[in-house]
Amino acid sequence: MTDDELELRLRAWYRAEVGDRPIAPLALREQLAAIPSTYPLAAPRAGRRPGLTLLIAATLLLGGAIAAGAGLLRLSTVEPPVTPLPSQAALPSAPPAEPSRSAEPPTPPKDGPARPIGQEVLAATQGFLLARDGAGWAATATGIYRTLDGGTTWRDVRPVGWTVSTASALVDAQTAYVASDSMPMVIAATHSGGAAWTTATIQDDRIGFGPTLAFQTPLKGFAIFYDRQVDTRIWVFATTDGGQTWTGPRRGSIPRLPNRITKLDRPMGGILVLLQGTGNGQPSNDFVMSLDGGVTWLTRSYPISDVTPRDVQKWIAQIAVEGDGVLQMAIQAGNRGSVWRSGDRGVTWQLVRALPRGVDLQDADFISPTEWVFQVAEGSAFRSTVDAGAHWRTVRVKGVGSQPGLGLQAATFASVDVGWASMSCRTGRWTGAVPTGYCSGDDSETILEATTDGGRTWAPIARPVTPIVSPVLPGPAAWVSAGTMVAGRWHVRGPGLSAITLNDGRVLVVGGVGGEGADLYDPIGGMWTATGKLAHERSGQIAAPLPDGRVLVAGGSYDDRDRATTEIFDPASGRWSMGASMRRARENARAAVLQDGRILVVGGDVGVGGVAMTAEIYDPVTGRWSMTESPRRFRFGVTPLVTLADGRVLMAGGNDRHNQPTATAELYDPATGRWTGTGRMTRARADASALRLADGRVLVVGGAHSFGWRELPTAEIFDPATGRWSTATPMSEARTDRGVTLLSDGRVLVTGGSAPDRAFYPLATAEIYDPATDTWSPAPSMATARYGHAALTLADGSVLVVGGHSTGAFHRLGSAERFYPDGGPPG
C-alpha cells in the first residue's frame, strides 16, 4: 500500500480534512493524532521510533480464509488489493477497486440462470467465505454453493455426482476442497471457482472417520484421519499440487494434555493447535502445535508481557504461517487481546500490537496487513482498524434479522464495511413472509447474514422461498416432502423428540431439544398444525399411547434437569393436562406398552452422569405409578425394549457398569413382575435398534461394540420360542442413531443415521431388510441427510421420517419426509 493509498483510506475512515499532497506515514500519524478515536494511542516504548509499530504491522501479509468448514486465518505471500471504503467514493483521488484476493478471474456463470438461494441451501452452513469482488462460497451438507454478486444469487457448483459434503475447506476466492462421505475417500478440488474439479482417491484400511482438511496455501495442505482402532492415533495424507496427488499416510498422534479432552479442534490457517485448560485453578502458559498435519508436535510457551500475564489463562484466537515461515498469532488473555509474530517456529515472539481493552478475539478477521475486524461480546459490536491498530472504530450492532445485536457467530469480511456472519435462528428470524415452521426459534439452525456498514445492520442473505414439490406417481419406491413442523416459538426439533400415531391416523410429535410444544401431522391432507403447549420443555422423554386414545408423555430433561413429571395429551380437545409423576426422574428411559395397556418404563439418566437402573409401571386405570422389580443386569445407554407376542418384554445389550457393551439379554414377565435371563446375543452391542418382526421374532441392528464406539453394521435375530440368537446378514454400512421401521409387508426400512467413521456426519441413504430371504437391498436416499430422527409407519403403508440432526454441527431439523415403498400418492 502506497503512502497516498494509506492516506486516502485513513482520511475516508475518519473523514479527516487532509490535503491532497503526498504525506509520509510518520507525518500522517502526527496529523491523525488529534482525531478522536474509540481508544487512545498507546505510548511508544522507550527507545522505539514512533512509527516503528505501524511499520512492523505494515509488513505483515495476512489473508482471510475458511478451512475445514470454519472461518480461519490464512497468510498470503502477496498483499491483497485494497477495496475503497464506501465513504471514499466522494474523494476524486481515491484509487479504483481492484480484483479479489485470488489471482484468477471470477468463475464464468455455468449454463442455466442463477437463482435466489432458499431455505434448503444455507440453513446450517458448514462454512463460508466472502472475497473482495463479491465472489463467495457456502458449504452445506448437501452442496457447495458459489456466488459472484455478494450473495444475491447462487449456483451449486459441487462436483458431478456429489451428494453429501461431509468435510470442506474453502481456501480463497477460487479454491475449495470437499471430501466424500464414504470409503474409499474421494477428495475433490477446484481452483477455478467450481468451474472444473479434479478428484483423487485415498484408500487405506487403517483410516477411520475424517478427514479434517487443513490448508496453509491453495496448493499445500493435509487430510487428517483418525485411526480405526486407536482414538489418539491419526493418519496424515499431504498434497503440494492442489489436490491432484496425495502422499502418505504418515503416522501421527494427538498429544494428551492435562485438563483437556483429547481430540482435534478445527485447524487455523493449516495449523493444528491444542490448548491446556487450568489445573488446580492455575492457568497454563504452554500450548502445542503442528505444522505438518499432526505428524510432529511442537511444545511452545506463550509470550509473557503486560498484555499476556503469566497468571492469566490464555488461548489462541488465530494462528497462521506466512510463505517465508513467519508465524502470526492472536492471543486472548482475560479482557486483553494482542497480535504477535515469530520467525523461529514459535520459540520467541515479537509483539505487533496490543489491542484495546475489551476487544474479544473470539471471532477475528485479518483482511489485509492493515485492516482487522474483531467481533465483540457475541455480536453486540464490531471493532475495526485500517491502520494496523493505530486507530479503532467501534460499530454498535443495531439489528440482526428481527433481533437487535444477538446471535452472530463466525464472520468473514471482504472489507471493514462488507462482511458475512453466521447466525442462529433462535436470536434472529426471517422478516417478511415466513414459510411455515422454518427459523421459528431453533438455536442450532445456522443461516447467513450480510452487512454493508461495518456490522451496524445485518440482513439475511438467503431469504426463504416456497419449495416446489413434484408429486411422485405410483411406481418405484420414492421419498416426497412432508413439510415442516409448525409449533411456533414452542418449537419441536430433534433429536430427543417423540412421534406416535394416534387412533385417528394423525401423528403427534412432541418434545425435542428445547421443545415445549407439540405438532400434529395429518397424513391425508399432508398438513402440520400446532397443538397446545406442554407445561415443561422436554428432551429425551418417553411417549406412549393409552387405551382410550390419549398419549402419555413422561420424563425427559431440560438444562440438565431431569423430570419425573408427566403430561397427557387428549386428541379430542387438543389440550395437555398434568398426570401423576413417576417415582424417579428419568431422561432417555425406555418404555414398552404391555398387552393390558399398562406402560413399563426402565432405566434412564439421572442428573449429570447418573443412571437409574430401576423400573416402574404406569396404570392408566388408576393413573398411578408403582415400582416393579429392577432388571437383573445393570445396563445403560440406548437399550431397546420390545414387547413380544406372548406379552413378555425383551431387553438386550447396553453398557455395563464399566461402560463396556454387553451381550446379555433378559425378559420381563408382567404377570409375575419378575426379570429372568435369556440367551446371549452373538455380539456385545450398545445403542442398537430393535423391533418385532411380523413372525414374532425380534430383529436387532447396529450398535457400538467397544468403549470407543465402533459402530457395527451387523444384525441378529432373537427367537422367543427358543430363547436363542442367530446372526443375520449385516447392513451395507454401519449407522449410529438410525431410524428403523417395520413396513406393512413385513420388511424393515432403515433410514439415515450418522456415519461411524465420520462422527456426527449424517447419512441420507436407506436400505430395506427382507426377513424371508435374510437380505438387504438399497432404498432411495432421503432428500435430507439426518440422524437421531423419529420414523414410523402410517396407515397407508408409507413411512414418516421427522426431525433429527443434520450437517455434523448439530443442526436440528424441523422438516419431515415420507417414504412410499411402491411410489408416491397417485395424482
Side-chain angles (χ1 to χ4, degrees):
M1 181 183 298
T2 66
D3 291 345
D4 287 338
E5 292 171 339
L6 178 59
E7 175 192 347
L8 287 170
R9 295 191 63 73
L10 289 170
R11 186 175 58 200
W13 184 259
Y14 296 106
R15 290 162 177 80
E17 297 297 332
V18 182
D20 292 334
R21 60 185 175 83
I23 300 175
L26 179 57
L28 179 61
R29 287 196 56 180
E30 292 174 348
Q31 292 195 33
L32 292 175
I35 301 175
S37 61
T38 305
Y39 294 95
L41 290 174
R45 293 187 179 182
R48 176 178 295 178
R49 288 164 34 197
L52 181 59
T53 303
L54 180 61
L55 187 59
I56 293 174
T59 64
L60 301 179
L61 304 177
L62 303 175
I66 287 183
L72 303 173
L73 177 65
R74 181 183 64 82
L75 296 184
S76 172
T77 57
V78 179
E79 180 179 345
V82 176
T83 299
L85 296 170
S87 54
Q88 276 185 265
L91 300 174
S93 57
E98 296 185 32
S100 68
R101 297 175 180 177
S102 172
E104 300 181 49
T107 305
K110 289 188 174 183
D111 293 337
R115 62 181 179 84
I117 204 164
Q119 65 179 27
E120 76 283 1
V121 175
L122 287 192
T125 56
Q126 293 178 323
F128 51 91
L129 173 68
L130 175 63
R132 284 188 181 275
D133 61 354
W137 300 93
T140 75
T142 57
I144 301 293
Y145 297 89
R146 178 156 171 86
T147 180
L148 296 177
D149 53 18
T152 302
T153 56
W154 296 79
R155 290 179 178 84
D156 187 350
V157 297
R158 58 185 163 176
V160 175
W162 218 264
T163 56
V164 178
S165 303
T166 57
S168 61
L170 310 178
V171 183
D172 63 16
Q174 299 295 323
T175 305
Y177 294 80
V178 294
S180 64
D181 65 342
S182 61
M183 296 296 177
M185 175 61 57
V186 178
I187 300 179
T190 180
H191 300 277
S192 59
W197 293 82
T198 60
T199 60
T201 300
I202 294 177
Q203 177 67 60
D204 194 301
D205 293 338
R206 294 169 294 182
I207 61 178
F209 68 86
T212 295
L213 297 177
F215 280 82
Q216 296 175 0
T217 73
L219 299 179
K220 178 184 177 181
F222 306 96
I224 307 160
F225 299 84
Y226 277 92
D227 185 88
R228 282 187 175 274
Q229 302 299 327
V230 182
D231 291 336
T232 58
R233 181 187 300 159
I234 56 178
W235 298 99
V236 181
F237 292 81
T239 182
T240 57
D241 58 9
Q244 296 184 54
T245 59
W246 294 83
T247 60
R250 298 182 64 190
R251 178 174 171 175
S253 62
I254 305 176
R256 292 188 178 274
L257 300 181
N259 308 301
R260 177 187 169 79
I261 298 176
T262 302
K263 66 175 183 178
L264 286 179
D265 291 334
R266 64 185 186 184
M268 291 186 282
I271 302 175
L272 302 176
V273 179
L274 297 180
L275 309 177
Q276 298 184 36
T278 57
N280 299 322
Q282 299 299 315
S284 171
N285 290 297
D286 300 317
F287 64 93
V288 296
M289 65 178 179
S290 176
L291 303 176
D292 58 9
V295 177
T296 58
W297 294 85
L298 306 174
T299 300
R300 294 293 183 255
S301 297
Y302 290 105
I304 303 301
S305 68
D306 293 342
V307 292
T308 53
R310 184 177 300 277
D311 58 349
V312 173
Q313 180 68 13
K314 293 168 283 295
W315 56 272
I316 299 172
Q318 296 283 11
I319 188 170
V321 60
E322 297 183 23
D324 57 1
V326 174
L327 293 176
Q328 180 80 11
M329 180 169 66
I331 302 176
Q332 185 79 33
N335 66 346
R336 295 302 304 272
S338 53
V339 179
W340 301 75
R341 68 179 315 195
S342 172
D344 54 10
R345 296 164 62 90
V347 177
T348 60
W349 296 92
Q350 179 184 11
L351 179 65
V352 175
R353 176 69 65 180
L355 305 181
R357 292 185 182 275
V359 173
D360 187 351
L361 295 183
Q362 182 67 38
D363 190 18
D365 196 1
F366 292 84
I367 305 168
S368 77
T370 58
E371 297 169 292
W372 307 342
V373 180
F374 298 126
Q375 184 175 325
V376 181
E378 297 184 356
S380 65
F382 285 85
R383 289 195 174 104
S384 53
T385 177
V386 295
D387 54 9
H391 295 79
W392 292 90
R393 178 182 70 172
T394 299
V395 174
R396 302 291 176 185
V397 179
K398 298 298 183 183
V400 178
S402 64
Q403 301 291 323
L406 294 174
L408 291 172
Q409 299 164 1
T412 178
F413 281 81
S415 72
V416 290
D417 285 306
V418 179
W420 291 347
S422 60
M423 185 200 68
S424 62
C425 286
R426 185 169 190 173
T427 51
R429 302 174 186 175
W430 296 109
T431 56
V434 179
T436 303
Y438 182 72
C439 282
S440 58
D442 194 314
D443 61 356
S444 280
E445 287 181 341
T446 304
I447 60 176
L448 277 182
E449 296 266 329
T451 183
T452 57
D453 54 13
R456 178 172 285 105
T457 58
W458 295 81
I461 289 177
R463 295 192 177 277
V465 295
T466 302
I468 300 175
V469 180
S470 300
V472 180
L473 300 178
W479 292 90
V480 299
S481 171
T484 307
M485 292 181 284
V486 295
R489 69 184 184 89
W490 306 307
H491 57 283
V492 180
R493 294 292 185 268
L497 56 74
S498 302
I500 189 168
T501 303
L502 305 177
N503 288 347
D504 60 9
R506 293 179 298 167
V507 176
L508 174 70
V509 181
V510 62
V513 178
E516 57 181 351
D519 283 87
L520 285 173
Y521 176 71
D522 183 354
I524 298 177
M527 298 294 294
W528 289 91
T529 57
T531 178
K533 175 188 174 184
L534 282 75
H536 301 290
E537 294 189 22
R538 301 176 187 271
S539 176
Q541 69 288 325
I542 63 128
L546 300 177
D548 60 4
R550 296 180 301 161
V551 175
L552 172 72
V553 173
S557 71
Y558 178 67
D559 285 344
D560 290 326
R561 178 184 177 187
D562 298 314
R563 302 190 183 281
T565 59
T566 69
E567 302 181 51
I568 297 176
F569 176 72
D570 186 349
S573 64
R575 295 180 179 178
W576 293 88
S577 59
M578 296 301 297
S581 295
M582 295 185 292
R583 298 295 185 91
R584 300 285 189 273
R586 304 173 190 270
E587 177 195 7
N588 297 323
R590 293 296 171 261
V593 178
L594 306 178
Q595 289 184 338
D596 59 7
R598 294 181 299 161
I599 299 171
L600 172 68
V601 177
V602 182
D605 306 330
V606 177
V608 180
V611 177
M613 204 55 233
T614 58
E616 53 188 300
I617 289 180
Y618 177 76
D619 188 339
V621 176
T622 63
R624 295 180 179 179
W625 294 86
S626 59
M627 300 300 295
T628 188
E629 183 180 73
S630 299
R632 300 174 59 189
R633 296 271 187 171
F634 180 92
R635 62 185 84 226
F636 66 98
V638 179
T639 309
L641 296 181
V642 179
T643 302
L644 304 178
D646 61 9
R648 295 178 298 168
V649 178
L650 171 70
M651 182 171 63
N655 284 319
D656 61 19
R657 293 185 182 274
H658 303 290
N659 203 25
Q660 292 290 336
T662 178
T664 61
E666 48 192 304
L667 295 167
Y668 177 77
D669 188 347
T672 62
R674 304 294 299 271
W675 293 87
T676 57
T678 188
R680 293 173 62 90
M681 294 190 293
T682 63
R683 293 291 300 268
R685 59 183 83 220
D687 291 328
S689 298
L691 53 71
R692 193 177 83 193
L693 301 173
D695 60 9
R697 296 179 300 162
V698 175
L699 172 70
V700 175
V701 297
H705 68 91
S706 72
F707 178 77
W709 296 101
R710 307 297 174 185
E711 190 73 10
L712 293 165
T714 57
E716 54 188 297
I717 292 179
F718 176 74
D719 187 346
T722 63
R724 295 180 179 178
W725 295 84
S726 60
T727 58
T729 301
M731 296 181 290
S732 64
E733 57 184 326
R735 309 164 183 267
T736 65
D737 296 324
R738 85 269 335 140
V740 180
T741 315
L742 184 67
L743 300 177
S744 56
D745 60 6
R747 296 180 299 163
V748 178
L749 173 69
V750 178
T751 55
S754 176
D757 290 339
R758 302 168 142 338
F760 308 122
Y761 285 108
L763 297 172
T765 56
E767 50 191 307
I768 294 177
Y769 177 72
D770 187 344
T773 60
D774 186 29
T775 57
W776 292 87
S777 59
S781 294
M782 297 181 291
T784 301
R786 62 182 80 216
Y787 65 94
H789 50 282
L792 71 170
T793 302
L794 304 177
D796 65 354
S798 64
V799 174
L800 180 70
V801 169
V802 60
H805 271 322
S806 187
T807 68
F810 299 106
H811 168 60
R812 301 173 199 142
L813 295 169
S815 62
E817 300 180 55
R818 201 164 165 180
F819 177 71
Y820 289 86
D822 300 315

